[in-house]
Amino acid sequence: MTNTQRTAEKTTDSAAEQWTAEERAAMKERAKELKASARRASRAEKAAEDEAAVLAKIAEMQDSDRVMAERIHAVVKENAPVLAPKLWYGMPAYARDGKIVCFFQSAQKFNARYATFGFNDTAHLDEGTMWPTGFALPRLTDADAARIGELVAKAVS
C-alpha cells in the first residue's frame, strides 16, 4: 500500500467519525426523500404527498416540539402560501420553486436543548451586512409566532 492510499484511508476513517449518529441518520433520511421525490408522477401528487409527509413527521415529534411545529406550519401556510411543505433531512421545511426557504428542526432530532427555526440563503431577509438566519425556540409565544410570520412573509417577498 502506498503512502497516498494510507493517507486517504486515514482521512476517510476520521471524517466518518466526525458525524454524530443523529447527523448520519438525517443524511440517510435526506437520501430517502430524494429517492421518493424522483418517483412521483405529477406536481399536484408530489405536493400532496410532501405535505402529508411533513404532517406525519410533525405528529411523530415529542409534545413540546410537536406543538411548536404544528403552530409554525400554520404560521408559514398563512403568511407565505407560495411555500410548499416538504421534508428536508427528516425535518419540516418550506420550499419555493423546489428550493428550501425555511425549516423547523426539533430539539429531539439532535438531542439539543431547544428547537430551531431557520432560513436558507434563498430567503429574502438581507438587511445591511448581517442578519439572523436561525432562531432558538425553547418555546413558542404568540409574539414569537407573529415575528416568524413577519419573517416568512418577508422571506418570500
Side-chain angles (χ1 to χ4, degrees):
M1 183 181 291
T2 69
N3 281 343
T4 304
Q5 289 172 322
R6 273 187 238 121
T7 303
E9 191 175 293
K10 286 181 183 177
T11 302
T12 303
D13 290 343
S14 64
E17 293 171 5
Q18 291 177 358
W19 301 106
T20 65
E22 293 84 4
E23 290 168 330
R24 285 192 300 274
M27 288 184 279
K28 287 179 183 178
E29 283 189 81
R30 182 66 180 141
K32 286 182 198 174
E33 294 160 9
L34 292 170
K35 285 180 185 177
S37 179
R39 283 184 241 138
R40 293 191 192 113
S42 73
R43 183 174 278 183
E45 178 185 83
K46 181 179 179 204
E49 287 180 15
D50 283 344
E51 182 156 18
V54 166
L55 294 173
K57 186 59 76 172
I58 290 171
E60 292 173 6
M61 293 178 186
Q62 289 180 347
D63 289 345
S64 61
D65 285 343
R66 181 181 37 74
V67 169
M68 282 191 284
E70 288 170 344
R71 190 153 180 212
I72 286 173
H73 182 76
V75 167
V76 171
K77 288 187 66 85
E78 179 183 330
N79 290 280
V82 298
L83 293 179
K86 64 187 301 176
L87 288 178
W88 187 57
Y89 294 97
M91 299 174 282
Y94 303 88
R96 184 176 196 173
D97 300 326
K99 295 181 181 175
I100 301 298
V101 175
C102 57
F103 60 90
F104 175 79
Q105 179 180 316
S106 73
Q108 173 191 3
K109 178 112 176 133
F110 293 104
N111 298 319
R113 66 184 180 99
Y114 51 80
T116 304
F117 184 75
F119 293 92
N120 279 348
D121 60 341
T122 54
H124 300 141
L125 296 175
D126 306 28
E127 234 176 68
T129 59
M130 188 171 87
W131 56 90
T133 59
F135 299 88
L137 297 171
R139 60 188 163 68
L140 188 61
T141 67
D142 290 342
D144 298 333
R147 179 70 176 133
I148 288 171
E150 292 167 6
L151 288 169
V152 168
K154 182 178 179 183
V156 296
S157 63

